């Protein structure tokens, strides 16, 4: 039975890396988590743009002067463990910091990993209590890590507790699961997502190739269960930084019932410089697609402002970054 690849040995045995790369792979693995699900390992073997997102590289051990351990500045906006409250009407709940796959450009890469960040019962109760005591918060956003790798029972418990709060009007989940590990979209998971309040599922995908037949079936099931599907992507050098690649990604999202929502400029996490695309180039890419794609296919191009200032459309009330 195929299993998730988590080490240099696994990557080499799967034919995704050469033996000569072992020292570099092991050095990266000592600092940052590695994981490729069977679905993503199979896709990485035939699609270089997908492999680039997940295969470790020695460049990850070089931190550029502008890169930060906490590039989105979560820490100053954390009233209790597991909660980030940056905007008045919405807050993040991070019930765990583990993922089915680990992206090499992750902005939380200093914190995520297979053995980290799961809120215990006491911490979860404290976090849920914070939401209960915060009537100005109307939207609860589950992120992490990836909330859809929680057991359906635990996920249902969290969602039902939040949905029962009168002031919570909308729930949102940010996830890679439907494309990275579609086998997890089971009837039990779909049942856990059945709520009386609106649920938005923000699906992270960066390349059209990620929309495999298995991913398509998972997305169709999630849509059928009542979730509104939104798409979020990161603009990445060598992955989706051409008009053709970006157009293919956005069209693939629409074909699979996913409304493109955010195109993120890369957050400057340590060791991620090889993925950076200047903001001016990103704006030019979207301008090249305007008119070729309908408005339904065009996402908001956003960058996190420094020091936890939140997301802003690139070019709006902030300088365009032409250097990184």
């Amino acid at each position: 039975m195929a299993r998730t690849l988590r080490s240099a040995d696994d990557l080499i045995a799967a034919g995704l890396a050469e033996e000569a790369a072992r020292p570099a792979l092991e050095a990266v693995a000592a600092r940052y988590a590695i994981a490729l699900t069977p679905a993503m390992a199979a896709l990485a073997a035939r699609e270089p743009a997908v492999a680039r997102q997940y295969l470790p590289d020695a460049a990850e051990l070089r931190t550029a002067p502008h890169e930060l351990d906490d590039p989105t500045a979560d820490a100053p906006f954390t009233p209790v463990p597991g909660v980030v409250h940056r905007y008045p009407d919405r807050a993040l709940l991070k019930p765990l910091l583990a993922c089915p796959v680990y992206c090499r450009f992750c902005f939380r890469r200093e914190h995520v990993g297979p053995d980290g960040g799961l809120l215990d019962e006491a911490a979860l109760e404290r976090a849920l209590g914070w939401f209960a005591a915060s009537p100005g918060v109307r939207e609860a956003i589950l992120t992490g890590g990836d909330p859809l790798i929680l057991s359906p029972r635990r996920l249902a418990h969290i969602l039902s507790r939040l949905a029962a709060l009168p002031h919570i009007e909308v729930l949102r989940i940010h996830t890679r699961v439907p494309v990275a590990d579609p086998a997890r979209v089971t009837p039990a998971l779909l049942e856990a997502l059945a709520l009386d309040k609106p649920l938005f599922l923000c699906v992270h995908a960066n390349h059209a190739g990620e929309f495999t037949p298995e991913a398509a079936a998972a997305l169709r099931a999630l849509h059928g269960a009542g979730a509104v599907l939104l798409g979020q992507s990161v603009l990445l050098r060598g992955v989706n930084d051409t008009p053709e690649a970006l157009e293919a990604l956005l069209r693939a999202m629409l074909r699979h019932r996913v409304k493109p929502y955010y195109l993120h400029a890369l957050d400057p996490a340590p060791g991620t410089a090889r993925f950076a695309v200047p903001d001016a180039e990103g704006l030019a890419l979207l301008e090249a697609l305007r008119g070729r794609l309908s408005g339904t296919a065009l996402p908001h191009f956003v960058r996190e402002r420094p020091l936890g200032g939140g997301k802003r459309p690139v070019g709006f009330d902030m300088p365009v970054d032409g250097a990184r």
Side-chain angles (χ1 to χ4, degrees):
M1 182 177 179
R3 60 183 180 85
T4 294
L5 309 182
R6 298 188 181 276
S7 67
D9 282 344
D10 290 344
L11 296 175
I12 293 167
L16 292 173
E18 300 292 334
E19 178 62 38
R22 182 184 293 276
L25 293 172
E26 291 179 342
V28 174
R31 180 168 181 181
Y32 299 120
I34 298 171
L36 280 84
T37 58
M40 286 299 98
L43 189 55
R46 61 181 187 270
E47 178 48 73
V50 173
R52 183 171 170 82
Q53 296 181 59
Y54 298 119
L55 296 185
D57 188 284
E60 296 177 49
L61 300 177
R62 298 192 293 270
T63 300
H66 70 281
E67 293 176 341
L68 305 168
D69 288 352
D70 184 14
T72 60
D74 283 358
F77 299 93
T78 299
V80 299
V83 173
V84 178
H85 186 213
R86 183 175 286 112
Y87 303 100
D89 70 334
R90 54 206 183 275
L92 305 179
L93 174 61
K94 298 185 289 186
L96 80 170
L97 290 175
C99 299
V101 290
Y102 292 106
C103 305
R104 311 323 303 169
F105 50 87
C106 177
F107 68 91
R108 292 196 177 112
R109 64 198 326 246
E110 296 289 332
H111 311 288
V112 298
D115 57 352
L118 180 67
L119 295 183
D120 61 23
E121 292 301 328
L124 179 60
E125 281 300 315
R126 189 178 179 195
L128 292 172
W130 181 91
F131 276 90
S134 303
V137 173
R138 298 181 176 217
E139 182 175 6
I141 304 166
L142 271 64
T143 184
D146 196 315
L148 293 194
I149 68 170
L150 292 168
S151 72
R153 180 198 59 79
R154 189 169 182 83
L155 180 62
H157 169 72
I158 294 170
L159 290 173
S160 63
R161 289 281 298 276
L162 291 169
L165 299 175
H167 56 277
I168 296 295
E169 300 172 348
V170 174
L171 294 109
R172 194 192 327 166
I173 298 175
H174 288 193
T175 182
R176 267 283 213 184
V177 161
V179 295
D181 199 5
R184 285 185 178 270
V185 181
T186 62
L189 176 63
L190 296 174
E191 185 176 349
L193 300 178
L195 302 169
D196 289 333
K197 290 186 175 178
L199 174 66
F200 290 82
L201 206 66
C202 234
V203 179
H204 179 180
N206 299 311
H207 190 267
E210 294 175 65
F211 291 88
T212 61
E214 294 78 14
L219 291 166
R220 187 165 57 249
L222 289 162
H223 181 268
V228 179
L229 304 180
L230 302 175
Q232 62 174 356
S233 308
V234 184
L235 182 59
L236 300 168
R237 180 68 75 203
V239 177
N240 54 23
D241 61 329
T242 67
E244 295 76 18
L246 190 56
E247 178 177 353
L249 168 63
L250 299 174
R251 289 192 184 279
M253 285 187 172
L254 285 187
R255 285 197 307 274
H256 294 93
R257 303 172 175 83
V258 179
K259 165 67 179 83
Y261 174 45
Y262 275 150
L263 177 64
H264 296 270
L266 181 74
D267 292 314
T272 63
R274 66 193 175 105
F275 290 104
V277 177
D279 291 349
E281 189 175 331
L283 288 170
L285 280 170
L286 287 172
E287 188 59 31
L289 297 181
R290 201 172 303 279
R292 285 169 55 176
L293 294 175
S294 73
T296 57
L298 294 175
H300 300 289
F301 182 33
V302 297
R303 176 180 285 285
E304 291 279 353
R305 291 186 298 177
L307 304 176
K311 296 179 183 66
R312 276 286 189 273
V314 172
F316 175 79
D317 192 31
M318 63 186 299
V320 172
D321 177 0
R324 296 201 298 270

